[in-house]
Amino acid sequence: SQTIHQWPATLVQPVGSPLSLECTVEGTSNPNLYWYRQAAGRGLQLLFYSIGIDQISSEVPQNLSASRPQDRQFILSSKKLLLSDSGFYLCACSAYGNTIYFGEGSWLTVV
Amino acid sequence: SQQGEEDPQALSIQEGENATMNCSYKTSINNLQWYRQNSGRGLVHLILIRSNEREKHSGRLRVTLDTSKKSSSLLITASRAADTASYFCATGGSNAGGTSYGKLTFGQGTILTVHP
């Protein structure tokens, strides 16, 4: 089964600073990869999904970008963070079906 | 707009009781899934039910799906304090170029508290 590693687990960043959240997947090849954001412990919002290397779709316009330099690596970035970027970010993957497996998440606080 | 909407938003019960959570959605689906999230953690997949299925069981979990009403329910029987968590339904699954990419739309979740 898939294992998702996501880091850092928590970070506090000042407004205007850059961001890089990393996610790697083990136990599968050619997975679909996702970045979700969750605000206030409620519903999840899909930010980006990728069906292959350098194939990334953005779901909502925002201050963030995503990259997939390798098959099992997915990176969420920002050049300049906003206060509104604070939240809980979850990397996820799926393969051979619709079940999505999640990482443990990254808490981002922008101050 | 949100596809899946859970009801109730919060549920508080005693250990041993059954917990029922409901989910409604708006558009046609290929499948519906339920996930669990402990506070501050990632989501854990519980069960997937396909659009041509009406009921599915997994341990103490029972999921029903009524596509005519566009609704699903998750029943947890004989609840335990360890079942305390948020529960989300997610709808989706569509095929793009023959490959299912599993894009899911999540509801807002039901916060379940089981008191010992």
Side-chain angles (χ1 to χ4, degrees):
Chain A
S1 62
Q2 297 95 327
T3 302
I4 302 170
H5 301 283
Q6 185 179 341
W7 71 95
T10 60
L11 68 165
V12 180
Q13 295 284 100
V15 169
S17 66
L19 170 73
S20 180
L21 298 179
E22 294 202 31
C23 172
T24 58
V25 178
E26 293 178 358
T28 187
S29 59
N30 195 30
N32 300 321
L33 298 175
Y34 312 84
W35 278 109
Y36 284 87
R37 177 167 59 201
Q38 186 178 33
R42 300 301 284 176
L44 279 74
Q45 179 186 37
L46 178 62
L47 302 177
F48 300 95
Y49 70 90
S50 171
I51 60 173
I53 294 175
D54 295 329
Q55 299 180 67
I56 297 164
S57 296
S58 173
E59 286 295 292
V60 293
Q62 60 205 311
N63 184 42
L64 302 167
S65 62
S67 60
R68 185 171 178 175
Q70 300 180 48
D71 179 47
R72 290 174 286 178
Q73 183 185 22
F74 207 22
I75 299 170
L76 184 69
S77 304
S78 174
K79 292 182 179 177
K80 289 185 178 181
L81 284 168
L82 306 172
L83 286 174
S84 58
D85 292 324
S86 294
F88 188 47
Y89 290 84
L90 289 154
C91 178
C93 79
S94 67
Y96 312 120
N98 297 125
T99 298
I100 291 186
Y101 298 91
F102 286 84
E104 284 300 303
S106 297
W107 286 100
L108 170 65
T109 303
V110 183
V111 296
Chain B
S1 62
Q2 205 70 31
Q3 168 75 318
E5 295 291 341
E6 288 90 343
D7 168 58
Q9 291 189 339
L11 181 60
S12 182
I13 60 174
Q14 294 296 125
E15 221 170 16
E17 294 179 341
N18 295 341
T20 299
M21 289 160 271
N22 303 296
C23 170
S24 60
Y25 57 91
K26 296 188 174 95
T27 62
S28 297
I29 60 170
N30 291 338
N31 63 76
L32 186 144
Q33 303 181 43
W34 286 91
Y35 287 80
R36 165 198 168 120
Q37 183 182 34
N38 285 19
S39 181
R41 305 294 299 275
L43 277 73
V44 174
H45 178 257
L46 295 177
I47 199 165
L48 179 152
I49 186 166
R50 302 192 188 283
S51 60
N52 60 353
E53 297 176 308
R54 292 295 167 260
E55 188 170 312
K56 206 161 182 180
H57 297 255
S58 176
R60 293 184 295 114
L61 305 180
R62 172 176 164 252
V63 168
T64 62
L65 178 64
D66 187 335
T67 53
S68 66
K69 295 181 180 178
K70 291 186 168 56
S71 68
S72 173
S73 68
L74 170 67
L75 169 66
I76 303 174
T77 59
S79 64
R80 306 166 182 167
D83 294 328
T84 295
S86 294
Y87 291 83
F88 295 87
C89 70
T91 55
S94 61
N95 292 319
T99 300
S100 173
Y101 60 78
K103 193 169 116 179
L104 298 181
T105 302
F106 285 82
Q108 293 297 307
T110 292
I111 300 172
L112 173 65
T113 304
V114 182
H115 299 281

